[in-house]
């Protein structure tokens, strides 16, 4: 926009202007230029730039005329340049002021027209995300346990073998380690301890009891890792919620009552529960908790008349492992096994989500396909 072609940087003599009679045509050109620009100035921001271009103290057009045309002008030319400059200044100042008032009072119609908002135009669409199904199921489970006095804690996904195994009563050559054949980190030689991706959330039982004296009531939602080959029911990463309650008077009844309360809250009051003997090194006795098949209602037969494919006719579905905390574990955390008792459980969240929401392939939980995710807004 700067009118450099108007010869503002050079004295008039350099432009070949030597006679007073040649001066008015120069000012006329400037004025035409001014009018042209003036037409395009409507918004306040444009107006400010325009004002500075013409009236700016150091490099505005009028300042340049004063410095480059008027000051070095010969005595013959000075009067004509002075007159032209005064006239131009008066014009520029009054026009600029006039436009300022118009912009301020909103009467500049072209500006109004340009800033007009067309309310019928479609807006900018910003899709709103939602929590992943796994996160939603975590939340459902947390709400149920928090309502009966449990707190939610989280722990590291990278663990030492001590927390993942030893302190849970799984010594180095214990056969159950085979089930947990897992990912060890590649550490530099001389590292103080090997590290692995935790294979279950149970290490948090130990970490919690190390930090807190009984009573303890926590659940631990989180990711766990095992060297499993992916198929419809296996994934090398999955989710668990660990539970631990330890106090001076916790019995097997408290344990089954709590678990049953949870299962009915989660799957509905119609379901039946049962437990079967099982084995975990860190619980004694250990159980496997089952729920009556939510697909066939426990009958074992599908609506079509054939065998229910989900429970394979058994009428029961295996839910999760649990048990009374093995007294040996208390030894690792300086609890007095003669004074305290408690229970622990560890449930696979992906499995619970698949059962409750009738998903038949665990992989869809990790693929982040929006066609799947949108079904759980
Ligand atoms: N940590 C066990 C697993 O991942 C589950 C479990 C937790 C069993 C707590 C008993 C008590 O298989």
């Amino acid at each position: 926009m700067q009118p450099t072609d108007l010869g503002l940087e050079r004295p008039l003599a350099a432009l070949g202007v030597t006679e007073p009679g040649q001066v008015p045509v120069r000012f006329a050109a400037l004025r035409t230029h001014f009018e042209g620009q003036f037409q395009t100035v409507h918004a306040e921001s444009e107006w400010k730039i325009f004002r500075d271009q013409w009236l700016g103290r150091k490099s505005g057009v009028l300042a340049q005329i004063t410095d480059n045309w008027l000051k070095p002008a010969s005595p013959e030319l000075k009067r004509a340049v002075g007159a032209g400059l005064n006239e131009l200044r008066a014009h520029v100042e009054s026009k600029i002021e006039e436009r300022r008032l118009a912009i301020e009072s909103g009467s500049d119609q072209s500006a109004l027209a340009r800033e007009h908002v067309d309310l019928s135009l479609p807006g900018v669409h910003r899709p709103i995300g939602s929590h992943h199904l796994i996160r939603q199921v975590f939340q459902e489970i947390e709400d149920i346990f928090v309502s009966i006095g449990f707190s939610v804690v989280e722990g590291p996904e990278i663990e030492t073998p001590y927390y993942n195994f030893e302190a849970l009563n799984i010594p180095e050559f214990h056969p159950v380690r085979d089930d947990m054949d897992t990912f060890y980190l590649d550490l530099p030689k001389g590292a103080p301890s090997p590290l692995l991706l935790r294979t279950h959330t149970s290490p948090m039982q130990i970490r919690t009891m190390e930090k807190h004296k009984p009573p303890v009531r926590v659940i631990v939602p989180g990711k766990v890792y095992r060297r499993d080959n992916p198929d419809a029911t296996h994934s090398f990463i999955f989710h668990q919620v660990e539970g631990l309650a330890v106090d001076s008077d916790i019995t097997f009844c408290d344990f089954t009552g709590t678990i049953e309360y949870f299962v009915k809250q989660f799957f509905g009051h119609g379901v039946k529960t049962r437990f079967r003997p099982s084995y975990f090194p860190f619980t004694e006795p250990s159980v496997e908790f089952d729920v009556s098949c939510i697909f066939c209602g426990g009958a074992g037969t599908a609506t079509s008349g054939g065998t229910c494919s989900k429970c394979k006719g058994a009428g029961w579905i295996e839910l999760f492992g649990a048990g009374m905390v093995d007294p040996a574990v208390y030894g690792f955390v300086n609890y007095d096994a003669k004074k305290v008792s408690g229970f622990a459980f560890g449930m696979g969240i992906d499995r619970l989500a698949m059962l409750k929401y009738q998903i038949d392939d665990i992989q869809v939980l990790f693929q982040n396909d929006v066609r799947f995710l949108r079904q759980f807004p």
Side-chain angles (χ1 to χ4, degrees):
M1 277 239 270
Q2 192 71 16
T4 43
D5 50 334
L6 297 169
L8 291 173
E9 284 95 7
R10 285 171 291 163
L12 286 173
L15 299 167
V17 177
T18 47
E19 304 281 324
Q22 293 172 288
V23 172
V25 74
R26 290 275 156 191
F27 280 98
L30 277 171
R31 192 150 164 162
T32 311
H33 189 79
F34 175 82
E35 301 300 345
Q37 281 191 344
F38 187 72
Q39 300 305 323
T40 67
V41 175
H42 301 291
E44 192 186 339
S45 54
E46 295 166 345
W47 175 87
K48 280 188 175 149
I49 294 168
F50 182 64
R51 177 199 56 191
D52 294 345
Q53 247 171 27
W54 284 86
L55 298 176
R57 285 231 186 128
K58 285 214 175 100
S59 53
V61 172
L62 296 179
Q64 288 188 57
I65 296 174
T66 310
D67 291 343
N68 302 336
W69 285 6
L70 184 66
K71 287 184 183 160
S74 61
E76 310 87 76
L77 284 187
K78 235 180 193 130
R79 175 189 276 269
V81 177
L85 179 58
N86 284 342
E87 204 181 307
L88 182 65
R89 184 190 305 282
H91 181 70
V92 166
E93 281 176 350
S94 84
K95 282 290 204 183
I96 283 180
E97 177 63 4
E98 177 190 304
R99 184 57 48 95
R100 182 182 70 80
L101 291 171
I103 291 170
E104 254 175 27
S105 68
S107 66
D108 186 42
Q109 289 306 318
S110 48
L112 277 185
R114 260 182 319 111
E115 285 162 19
H116 174 72
V117 177
D118 180 353
L119 295 176
S120 70
L121 282 175
V124 180
H125 179 62
R126 293 183 209 284
I128 294 177
S130 61
H131 283 141
H132 191 279
L133 181 62
I134 291 296
R135 180 64 247 162
Q136 294 181 30
V137 172
F138 269 143
Q139 193 64 53
E140 283 179 54
I141 295 170
E142 287 169 22
D143 289 347
I144 296 168
F145 279 105
V146 165
S147 79
I148 52 173
F150 282 74
S151 319
V152 181
V153 295
E154 286 183 39
E157 285 172 29
I158 296 176
E159 269 297 4
T160 61
Y162 176 77
Y163 285 106
N164 199 77
F165 298 123
E166 271 105 69
L168 286 162
N169 204 26
I170 313 175
E172 191 165 359
F173 295 104
H174 197 294
V176 298
R177 285 211 188 188
D178 295 350
D179 290 344
M180 304 226 178
D181 196 8
T182 193
F183 303 106
Y184 280 83
L185 272 64
D186 231 349
L187 294 176
K189 272 208 178 69
S193 159
L195 293 173
L196 63 141
L197 297 181
R198 66 178 175 191
T199 60
H200 49 181
T201 41
S202 302
M204 274 306 284
Q205 291 188 26
I206 307 301
R207 289 184 180 275
T208 305
M209 288 191 281
E210 273 183 349
K211 268 211 212 123
H212 303 282
K213 296 254 148 297
V216 161
R217 278 180 188 75
V218 293
I219 56 164
V220 190
K223 292 192 181 79
V224 301
Y225 305 83
R226 289 183 201 178
R227 204 202 57 79
D228 274 338
N229 289 320
D231 64 20
T233 54
H234 293 86
S235 165
F236 47 80
I237 172 174
F238 58 101
H239 304 83
Q240 285 188 330
V241 170
E242 189 81 8
L244 175 71
V246 181
D247 204 341
S248 52
D249 53 1
I250 289 187
T251 66
F252 199 83
C253 276
D254 297 313
F255 163 51
T256 52
T258 306
I259 297 290
E260 205 170 300
Y261 175 78
F262 163 73
V263 172
K264 294 201 164 175
Q265 289 292 309
F266 188 77
F267 284 112
H269 286 274
V271 297
K272 290 201 281 290
T273 56
R274 73 171 187 188
F275 53 84
R276 292 174 289 116
S278 184
Y279 174 76
F280 299 101
F282 39 95
T283 47
E284 180 59 36
S286 301
V287 302
E288 203 69 55
F289 230 88
D290 294 351
V291 64
S292 55
C293 179
I294 40 217
F295 299 96
C296 65
T301 42
T303 32
S304 59
T307 312
C308 171
S309 64
K310 304 293 176 175
C311 63
K312 305 204 169 63
W316 294 95
I317 286 181
E318 194 180 303
L319 266 195
F320 51 84
M324 300 301 286
V325 177
D326 192 310
V329 172
Y330 295 131
F332 287 94
V333 295
N334 285 326
Y335 275 19
D336 185 343
K338 291 202 184 68
K339 293 199 178 130
V340 295
S341 58
F343 61 83
F345 54 86
M347 37 203 181
I349 302 317
D350 313 79
R351 186 169 163 72
L352 287 186
M354 288 166 72
L355 286 172
K356 182 162 178 177
Y357 296 99
Q358 320 222 340
I359 296 162
D360 46 23
D361 186 351
I362 193 173
Q363 301 303 327
V364 296
L365 296 171
F366 303 102
Q367 286 160 348
N368 286 339
D369 186 329
V370 288
R371 289 169 301 180
F372 170 73
L373 300 176
R374 279 204 191 109
Q375 295 174 48
F376 306 97

